[in-house]
Amino acid sequence: MESSGELVPFPLLTTPIESNYRACTIPYRFPSDNPKKPTPTELSWINLFMNSIPSFRKRAESDDTVPDAPMRAEKFAQRYAAILEDIKKDPESHGGPPDCILLCRLREQVLREVGFRDIFKKVKDEENAKAISLFKEVVCLNDAIEDEAKRAENLVRGIFAGNIFDLGSEKLAELFSEDGMSFLASCQNLVPRPWVIDDLDIFITKWSKKTWEKAVIFVDNSGADVILGILPFARELLRHGAQVVLAANDLPSINDVTYPELVEIISKLKDEHGKLIGVDTSNLLVANSGNDLPVIDLTMVSQELAYLASDADLVILEGMGRGIETNLYARFKCDSLKIGMVKHPEVAQFLGGRLYDCVFKFNEASN
């Protein structure tokens, strides 16, 4: 479904939304903090975004769809760095005080202002092609696991392994440029359980007793993340009789998959009978979330997604930006799952976990 028109609150948030929801997990500041002076947390996050500038500039320089890309990339780097320096001097400048949504939004705005639309397009296309070629193998490996609990755990491990493909993380962007990422090796190399937040056993017990009727999944990155992580999991939900709505970004941001890209990916994966390796997809829908950032404020989603989600009984937020940094503590009127890998030291420190630790937070419907 296409998105158009004004954005509305996600209908399954616990109400009243004003007192129950804030799209920021880590408090950057408290009311007692001096509004004119940056807090230590604000400074560490501003520096994290500052440190990401070289890898973004490098991607932008090589965007051959934009004339004078190197010059524009340099302009982006200078302009965004200057904005971050301004916020360090005065946290209330540029629409502050800052949180991760504002810092992401300013970065996207500057990229668009200087003429870039999708600086990760080339790498997304390459990774999607690679992951599509592996899809059948990954699905067949899962299908061969007869024990349902073990199969569910394997599918979850696949989501974590896929979520490593994140070029918004400075360290992972470096690793990725060195040798790419092996999906199956990543599945084996996850940090050992228990993870920093680990409700997997509770979720699997519920999975074995209950069939959800409709799940909404907010997807994250292109490539292995959505194709080898989320889609096999969604396919399993379809096998269990659920309807599945995949909510993808309206506009490009980092290497996140967009709505048109996801529609195209799924059409390539289906066979001539419209099936995903033997599973009927008539109950699989793709929706435009209305979002244009690698994080999400659930008070602002597309009307189409709000309509499709209104009767869902499971909401899944996947990825560090949506599932951890902005919505870890979001409460819903239905069951919810926040799942993502910890890829910033600042997030690991806040959660009291390890870098590349896993978050699997399952909550039953809040009354």
Side-chain angles (χ1 to χ4, degrees), residues 9-79:
F10 188 65
L12 296 170
L13 285 170
T14 302
T15 49
I17 292 170
E18 300 72 33
S19 56
N20 276 296
Y21 179 74
R22 184 162 176 252
C24 189
T25 300
I26 301 172
Y28 283 24
R29 65 169 45 241
F30 295 97
S32 56
D33 289 321
N34 180 345
K36 291 290 175 193
K37 194 166 175 262
T39 66
T41 306
E42 283 172 345
L43 284 172
S44 75
W45 279 88
I46 291 166
N47 287 332
L48 183 142
F49 278 81
M50 191 74 87
N51 292 337
S52 77
I53 292 175
S55 67
F56 276 72
R57 181 176 59 203
K58 200 170 163 191
R59 289 271 167 216
E61 279 170 359
S62 59
D63 185 345
D64 52 20
T65 66
V66 174
D68 307 319
M71 184 192 76
R72 291 170 194 257
E74 184 54 39
K75 202 182 279 185
F76 153 74
Q78 288 176 6
R79 199 175 288 180

Side-chain angles (χ1 to χ4, degrees), residues 322-334:
R322 293 169 191 76
I324 304 175
E325 288 175 355
T326 44
N327 289 291
L328 187 62
Y329 302 131
R331 292 165 61 203
F332 296 92
K333 297 172 186 171
C334 63

